[in-house]
Amino acid sequence: MEKMQFFSLLSRWPLVEFNHIKVVEYYEEESVLPKKDLYIHHLTKHDAQLFLCHVPPHRDVDDLLAVYTDWLKDYGKVRRASTDPGKPYHYHTVQAESEERVSEKRFSNILEG
């Protein structure tokens, strides 16, 4: 998943403030090692969670968790900026343009804003 896809996924649930990435381990009948999935959820509302991805066996779950956690922090900054009318860019404007592949440079303008 790319950062823009992550932002788009979270923006579909504007009333839920996702604030935690969780690793869920499970076993399938034929597997010896546990399988791992990543979910994003609201820390106190455990039923408010979204599936992010299956963690491939060759991928370090801690590295992937760190990437998604950083993106979640960035999304929080963009979300807060979108509620401030004094900011030059709003997330909803950027979201509409994301279909056209807005560059990371544009997002850095928002985050630094």
Side-chain angles (χ1 to χ4, degrees), residues 77-91 93 109-113:
K77 291 176 187 175
V78 170
R79 185 174 176 175
R80 284 187 297 280
S82 73
T83 61
D84 182 356
K87 295 285 183 182
Y89 301 109
H90 296 284
Y91 178 67
T93 304
N109 289 340
I110 294 169
L111 297 175
E112 292 168 6

Side-chain angles (χ1 to χ4, degrees), residues 35-54:
K35 304 237 178 197
K36 297 176 184 176
D37 293 340
L38 291 182
Y39 287 84
I40 185 167
H41 67 101
H42 189 283
L43 198 53
T44 59
K45 297 177 185 174
H46 297 292
D47 58 337
Q49 64 181 5
L50 289 174
F51 172 77
L52 290 175
C53 69
H54 298 290

Side-chain angles (χ1 to χ4, degrees), residues 1-15:
M1 178 180 300
E2 295 177 12
K3 190 173 186 177
M4 290 296 299
Q5 292 171 311
F6 182 81
F7 277 35
S8 178
L9 176 67
L10 294 182
S11 71
R12 292 179 190 154
W13 302 94
L15 300 178

Side-chain angles (χ1 to χ4, degrees), residues 20-38:
H20 185 71
I21 310 288
K22 178 170 82 172
V23 178
V24 175
E25 289 187 358
Y26 62 95
Y27 288 88
E28 292 183 343
E29 286 184 30
E30 70 278 354
S31 66
V32 176
L33 298 174
K35 304 237 178 197
K36 297 176 184 176
D37 293 340
L38 291 182

Side-chain angles (χ1 to χ4, degrees), residues 67-107:
V67 168
Y68 282 120
T69 300
D70 286 344
W71 289 358
L72 181 58
K73 289 176 186 175
D74 290 347
Y75 179 78
K77 291 176 187 175
V78 170
R79 185 174 176 175
R80 284 187 297 280
S82 73
T83 61
D84 182 356
K87 295 285 183 182
Y89 301 109
H90 296 284
Y91 178 67
H92 300 291
T93 304
V94 175
Q95 179 186 0
E97 295 172 8
S98 69
E99 318 293 335
E100 302 168 12
R101 299 302 217 177
V102 175
S103 70
E104 287 291 324
K105 187 174 183 180
R106 178 89 183 254
F107 272 108

